[in-house]
Amino acid sequence: MTDAAALLSAFDAQARPAEWEFPEGDATVDRDGPLFRVSWPNRRGFVAGPPDLGVEGDALDELIARQRDFFTARRQSAEWKTWSHDRPADLPDRLVAAGFTPEDTETVVIGLAEDMVAPVPLDGIVLRETRHWADIQRLVAASSEAFGKDVSFLIDYLIAKKDDPDTVIVVAEAEGRIVSSARLEIVPETDFCGLWGGSTLREWRGRGIYRALVAHRARVALARGRKYLQVDASEDSRPILERLGFVPVTTTTGFVWRPR
């Protein structure tokens, strides 16, 4: 199964529902019609649903308003995640009209783990898995430098995930420093794993580290009985992933409500 339609069908059936069927931590999941609303005590909420909401027009506007009002009452922001193949097609426009702000659009790409495992020779660069607090601080500092923005908020997230057996954190070290990192997150009770957080310091790009991190995580995925690797890819990483054999299946955009 490598054609885009079949991969998208597997994604819609397995990976998407996992967002609300297996939420992280102390989440509360509420159902509102076709939607699933996930809320936490102290973090941004999440709203999503199936590919076809089956609601249009005024009824859709009312559904959007209820989610907005719910998080406004909690004084919390929330992300409503959309995919470009979803219905109704005017959902993004209605979210904007209701006061939601779109974030960057990313391309969902999916590949077969068995096709991604070929070893990549690295000169003077060592890959290793880690769960150590000090390494997490170092990798987040390196990621902030690589992305050109502060991502220190990831420290708390990765500290909370470091003992999770379904999360694998991988770093690439050279000359005594972490120069790249990424993680694998196994989606419970599915054939999917997500690849997240890939970043490489500028001076270390073009040496195969990104490909090596994908291959390492693909081998972990296969060892754990998973078939598919999925990435919400930026425009920087999408071409690299496509060259590795990943297939674009849709795009995704988060629309964020921020109470005043």
Side-chain angles (χ1 to χ4, degrees):
M1 183 190 292
T2 56
D3 64 283
L7 292 171
L8 179 58
S9 178
F11 173 75
D12 281 338
Q14 297 187 47
R16 278 179 61 165
E19 297 267 19
W20 53 83
E21 290 176 356
F22 307 102
E24 300 168 350
D26 50 351
T28 298
V29 180
D30 298 308
R31 184 80 183 262
D32 187 344
L35 287 179
F36 295 85
R37 185 174 59 226
V38 187
S39 55
W40 290 267
N42 297 301
R43 57 180 279 195
R44 186 167 84 174
F46 178 83
V47 179
D52 188 347
L53 291 179
V55 180
E56 298 182 349
D58 291 344
L60 179 57
D61 290 336
E62 292 170 5
L63 183 65
I64 292 170
R66 287 201 300 273
Q67 315 319 307
R68 182 189 62 196
D69 294 347
F70 174 86
F71 286 103
T72 297
R74 293 170 60 93
R75 300 182 180 178
Q76 290 179 325
S77 60
E79 176 194 7
W80 187 314
K81 194 164 188 178
T82 69
W83 289 266
S84 58
H85 65 289
D86 286 355
R87 294 292 179 268
D90 64 348
L91 173 60
D93 293 337
R94 291 181 180 275
L95 286 168
V96 170
F100 287 73
T101 302
E103 295 190 317
D104 292 340
T105 295
E106 297 174 310
T107 302
V108 179
V109 298
I110 300 173
L112 297 176
E114 64 184 6
D115 293 342
M116 311 294 170
V117 295
V120 179
L122 296 175
D123 183 13
I125 302 163
V126 176
L127 300 189
R128 64 179 175 86
E129 296 176 15
T130 183
R131 295 186 180 276
H132 295 299
W133 183 83
D135 282 337
I136 289 172
Q137 285 195 309
R138 293 171 63 213
L139 79 82
V140 169
S143 293
S144 294
E145 182 179 343
F147 288 131
K149 62 181 181 180
D150 181 19
V151 294
S152 57
F153 64 88
L154 283 172
I155 291 178
D156 289 341
Y157 176 80
L158 293 175
I159 291 294
K161 300 285 284 185
K162 71 182 182 67
D163 295 322
D164 179 357
D166 287 340
T167 299
V168 179
I169 302 169
V170 189
V171 297
E173 280 188 316
E175 299 178 359
R177 66 184 303 202
I178 291 175
V179 299
S180 184
S181 63
R183 68 184 185 274
L184 176 83
E185 296 192 3
I186 296 168
V187 183
E189 299 185 22
T190 73
D191 295 323
F192 279 81
C193 291
L195 305 187
W196 305 103
S199 65
T200 303
L201 295 178
R202 182 173 299 278
E203 62 269 30
W204 291 91
R205 295 171 188 171
R207 306 192 192 195
I209 300 175
Y210 190 98
R211 289 184 292 116
L213 286 168
V214 170
H216 181 98
R217 289 175 288 170
R219 289 190 288 272
V220 174
L222 284 177
R224 300 287 291 273
R226 267 45 180 198
K227 182 177 182 180
Y228 302 114
L229 302 177
Q230 178 252 320
V231 186
D232 290 354
S234 68
E235 281 306 294
D236 289 333
S237 58
R238 180 188 55 76
I240 303 172
L241 291 163
E242 288 191 57
R243 288 195 294 271
L244 291 176
F246 284 79
V247 178
V249 298
T250 187
T251 62
T252 182
T253 307
F255 289 78
V256 177
W257 169 250
R258 296 180 177 88
R260 293 184 177 85

